[in-house]
Amino acid sequence: MKRIFSGVQPTGNLHLGNYLGAIRNWVRLQKDFGDCLFCVVDLHAITMWQDPKQLRRGTREVAAAMIAAGIDPKRNVIFNQSQVPAHAELAWIFNCVARLGWLNRMTQFKDKAGKDRENASVGLYAYPNLMAADILAYKGTHVPVGEDQKQHLELARDIAQKFNNDFGVNFFPLVEPLIFGSGTRVMSLRDGTKKMSKSEASDYSRINMTDTADDIAKKFRKAKTDPHPVPASPKEFEGRPEAENLLGLYASLADAAVEEVCRRFGGGPFSKFKDALAELAVAKLAPIQDELRRLQAAPDFVDGVLREGVEKARGISGPVLREVHEIVGFLRL
Ligand code: TYM
């Protein structure tokens, strides 16, 4: 059976990378799959320090943003990770399956821990094991994410395979990453070689889902480019990561091929292209923002969606975990 699982951290504002790389694809996939699980991963969030009040607020906000973006809470399961015990429990079992050598290769840990590795939380190190547990607690098969999560999903496959081999079972599926569309790697507006991220200090590096039309116009106008005209073909992207990123963003927002966008704006000045990009981004985000505002004014509704999601998620993961206990040899009395 095919089952979609994906997640997003409730840390700070969602940005255009989260939307184009992940959430918009979830909205599109729900039509073919139905019964998808979309998780606000609060356990992952605390691998770095989070202010408790902000965490609670962020959790509601991310759930609301998923709904505002078009995830149908009636057809899908929207919930927060900490409220379903299977995640932490299976993660512990996977801590005993995954090898240190595997985790040592994870580039996201290296990026996030930075130079002060000794001071990173153990949770940050074991983060990918929890991710594997998120998916496999539901025997998830397909995981729509942005490019940056690919390595973690390969690890989830390795964990599933080793578990199956160690115990001589064919229990966990090997998850397939779904990385598609032209927004799989949205880059920072200040540096086209770095991905757009919630953690970059400058807010000018990203377009937040909640930015006003003015903010969006200002951020694109200030976005780094180069002194040449807009490339007329993707062949001219070589050595021009900022141009590639902005044209890719336009293509992604317009649902057009990047070649077409190059043909349309190629040879012209960036200033004109940036205005068109800002206008397009504002037009695409406005309906989501309207809906988000409406949902923010109705926290009880959002809480109700999460509560129902938690119930359903427990209902699916509970029996999977019981089978895992059986396989591992935990004595049930
Ligand atoms: P998070 O919260 O960092 O990001 C959520 C989703 O947004 C995608 N994304 C991007 N896509 C394109 N360009 C970008 N600049 C960009 N930045 C972020 C991410 O790839 C992701 O799909 N570890 C995950 C959350 C998670 C998860 C899971 C995902 C926890 N458990 C199980 C899938 C399955 C994360 O931190 O995503």
Side-chain angles (χ1 to χ4, degrees):
M1 196 183 96
K2 286 184 178 175
R3 176 170 278 151
I4 290 215
F5 183 99
S6 201
V8 55
Q9 294 197 61
T11 45
N13 275 325
L14 288 186
H15 55 67
L16 209 47
N18 299 130
Y19 178 60
L20 297 175
I23 297 174
R24 189 175 68 169
N25 286 348
W26 304 354
V27 173
R28 292 174 179 184
L29 285 164
Q30 67 180 342
K31 291 189 183 68
D32 298 329
F33 282 82
D35 219 14
C36 306
L37 294 123
F38 297 117
C39 186
V40 185
V41 293
D42 46 9
L43 294 174
H44 276 108
I46 62 161
T47 57
M48 314 271 278
W49 167 253
Q50 303 298 323
D51 174 74
K53 262 201 214 100
Q54 298 264 27
L55 181 62
R56 237 184 313 272
R57 182 165 352 120
T59 301
R60 282 200 181 103
E61 209 164 280
V62 166
M66 288 184 191
I67 303 166
I71 308 272
D72 180 352
K74 290 206 191 72
R75 293 186 51 185
N76 303 289
V77 185
I78 298 175
F79 69 107
N80 60 324
Q81 187 186 28
S82 61
Q83 300 309 297
V84 182
H87 295 250
E89 199 181 311
L90 188 57
W92 177 257
I93 294 170
F94 287 169
N95 284 344
C96 305
V97 173
R99 307 287 93 182
L100 283 177
W102 300 358
L103 291 177
N104 285 337
R105 286 197 287 275
M106 295 295 115
T107 57
Q108 186 166 301
F109 174 74
K110 290 182 200 162
D111 290 347
K112 286 201 175 173
K115 289 201 178 64
D116 198 8
R117 197 185 144 105
E118 295 291 308
N119 201 27
S121 73
V122 175
L124 188 66
Y125 187 70
Y127 182 115
N129 295 345
L130 177 59
M131 230 177 113
D134 293 340
I135 304 160
L136 294 173
Y138 305 91
K139 293 191 167 186
T141 56
H142 292 74
V143 184
V145 285
E147 184 71 41
D148 62 337
Q149 296 301 316
K150 196 168 168 208
Q151 195 186 32
H152 288 159
L153 296 185
E154 279 159 12
L155 189 95
R157 287 173 71 96
D158 290 343
I159 290 176
Q161 192 136 44
K162 186 167 186 326
F163 181 95
N164 288 347
N165 286 345
D166 286 354
F167 293 101
V169 290
N170 186 11
F171 186 70
F172 285 124
L174 302 185
V175 302
E176 298 229 12
L178 296 177
I179 301 173
F180 62 95
S182 46
T184 56
R185 192 164 172 79
V186 175
M187 308 309 275
S188 158
L189 301 183
R190 310 233 83 178
D191 177 353
T193 63
K194 283 207 309 212
K195 73 168 183 181
M196 184 177 284
S197 108
K198 293 173 204 162
S199 53
E200 189 171 337
S202 168
D203 203 46
Y204 278 97
S205 68
R206 62 187 158 259
I207 303 289
N208 301 308
M209 294 297 287
T210 48
D211 280 347
T212 64
D214 278 353
D215 291 336
I216 293 174
K218 216 185 295 163
K219 287 179 176 181
F220 278 129
R221 226 173 285 136
K222 281 190 175 254
K224 184 173 171 202
T225 43
D226 53 48
H228 307 292
V230 175
S233 141
K235 290 195 193 99
E236 295 172 29
F237 285 162
E238 189 62 34
R240 304 179 66 187
E242 286 83 16
E244 178 173 4
N245 186 42
L246 293 183
L247 285 145
L249 267 179
Y250 192 103
S252 184
L253 284 164
D255 261 318
V258 72
E259 288 79 6
E260 204 179 297
V261 182
C262 288
R263 265 199 301 277
R264 185 160 158 213
F265 294 97
F270 269 106
S271 55
K272 209 169 134 207
F273 168 68
K274 284 172 164 182
D275 286 346
L277 176 56
E279 200 178 309
L280 177 64
V282 169
K284 293 287 174 181
L285 292 184
I288 301 175
Q289 294 181 333
D290 288 347
E291 185 61 12
L292 186 57
R293 265 190 296 274
R294 209 179 59 79
L295 289 166
Q296 276 167 338
D300 289 350
F301 173 77
V302 177
D303 286 2
V305 167
L306 285 170
R307 204 172 295 121
E308 208 174 299
V310 165
E311 279 307 309
K312 284 192 202 154
R314 283 184 187 157
I316 304 170
S317 57
V320 175
L321 262 288
R322 273 196 287 283
E323 280 189 83
V324 171
H325 280 203
E326 193 64 36
I327 292 168
V328 173
F330 292 150
L331 178 64
R332 290 188 81 89
L333 299 167

